[in-house]
Amino acid sequence: MRTPLATVRAQAEIIHRRLNKPEHRTTIREMIRAIDESSRSAGQLLDHAMVTFRADSLEHTPLDLVELLGETCARLAPTAELKDIAIKTNLPDAAFDFIGDSVLLQGALRNILDNAIKYSPEDSEITVSAARNGNYVLSIRDQGRGFGDADIQDLTSRFSRGSNVSDIVGSGLGLTIADEVARSHGGRLEISENTEGPGACVSLVLPQS
Ligand SMILES: Nc1ncnc2c1ncn2[C@@H]1O[C@H](COP(=O)(O)OP(=O)(O)OP(=O)(O)O)[C@@H](O)[C@H]1O
Ligand SMILES: [Mg+2]
């Protein structure tokens, strides 16, 4: 599904470049946005299906949560750079030893960081930290628009999106995925406003066993 959508998108971009009339260009831009929405939904639905499937037969592999978090930041750094967003990492030298499914955990962290980038303005900062307080707490704090008057608890429901993000493409599955991954590992997702200024703070909390 992703490949044909990418083909249609590329063709729409070519047509967009060739058109002169503003109303035609607007129509094609709307078409491209609809294609982006479809491919985002297709990707997120596949990821969500994978979480549901893997959660039933979770892989129990020894891993280091700090390393996993660092890798996720490195993978998304180019996307953040496109918006001149700096990802500041505040990670301990010591490993956070954990037994779990690295594919799922990385998917959860990727979705949390993806939101922080997507809902933050250009030239802002994202702070990524890892701490332990009996649990492992992996936090991603941004300086974006925050959750507004959205019901925070409801944002982890499938297809739930806030009312303050209609300008940005999304399918409402990212936090559902992160929440399900956390629960399947005996943990939880903590969603709150950034206490140090405007923006959001989302933490993946996992048991330190
Ligand atoms: N860092 C954030 N800043 C502000 N709002 C956020 C942030 N993260 C999540 N949200 C709000 O929570 C909603 C749900 O997030 P979620 O990741 O599940 O869906 P999405 O980003 O809309 O779509 P997608 O499935 O494509 O990620 C978002 O639509 C947005 O309203
Ligand atoms: Mg998202």
Side-chain angles (χ1 to χ4, degrees):
M1 208 181 154
R2 290 185 224 222
T3 314
L5 283 172
T7 309
V8 177
R9 192 187 195 287
Q11 284 165 348
E13 287 278 2
I14 293 168
I15 295 168
H16 184 258
R17 259 179 258 136
R18 290 194 187 145
L19 292 174
N20 296 320
K21 285 200 178 158
E23 63 268 32
H24 291 166
R25 292 175 71 94
T26 306
T27 307
I28 293 286
R29 280 251 68 90
E30 279 166 10
M31 197 176 127
I32 290 171
R33 190 190 150 97
I35 297 166
D36 285 345
E37 264 179 28
S38 307
S39 30
R40 176 75 193 180
S41 298
Q44 290 293 78
L45 283 167
L46 284 171
D47 276 3
H48 185 240
M50 184 187 68
V51 172
T52 311
F53 177 73
R54 284 180 81 110
D56 288 340
S57 53
L58 212 60
E59 258 187 33
H60 294 278
T61 311
L63 51 91
D64 173 10
L65 291 171
V66 174
E67 192 184 324
L68 209 66
L69 188 55
E71 276 170 21
T72 309
C73 294
R75 282 195 195 173
L76 285 185
T79 314
E81 271 165 31
L82 288 177
K83 287 179 78 177
D84 285 324
I85 294 175
I87 302 180
K88 296 261 153 87
T89 47
N90 183 8
L91 302 179
D93 293 329
F96 282 10
D97 294 321
F98 189 70
I99 294 188
D101 191 315
S102 61
V103 173
L104 291 191
L105 290 166
Q106 195 147 56
L109 294 171
R110 185 178 60 239
N111 269 292
I112 300 170
L113 190 55
D114 175 74
N115 283 340
I117 297 170
K118 218 159 65 156
Y119 302 124
S120 286
E122 305 222 333
D123 270 322
S124 59
E125 243 176 46
I126 293 173
T127 312
V128 175
S129 55
R132 43 180 150 193
N133 59 7
N135 287 316
Y136 292 125
V137 185
L138 312 179
S139 303
I140 296 176
R141 191 152 31 87
D142 66 60
Q143 301 175 327
R145 60 185 74 189
F147 297 105
D149 50 15
D151 177 356
I152 285 184
Q153 294 317 315
D154 189 46
L155 294 175
T156 53
S157 310
R158 285 199 306 157
F159 311 117
S160 164
R161 302 200 75 213
S163 54
N164 62 339
V165 296
S166 51
D167 55 320
I168 296 174
V169 166
S171 50
L173 280 172
L175 291 182
T176 312
I177 291 171
D179 186 55
E180 287 180 13
V181 171
R183 285 164 191 267
S184 67
H185 285 83
R188 64 178 187 276
L189 201 65
E190 278 183 5
I191 304 174
S192 64
E193 300 290 352
N194 181 353
T195 48
E196 294 174 19
C201 181
V202 178
S203 306
L204 186 62
V205 182
L206 294 167
Q208 194 179 335
S209 51

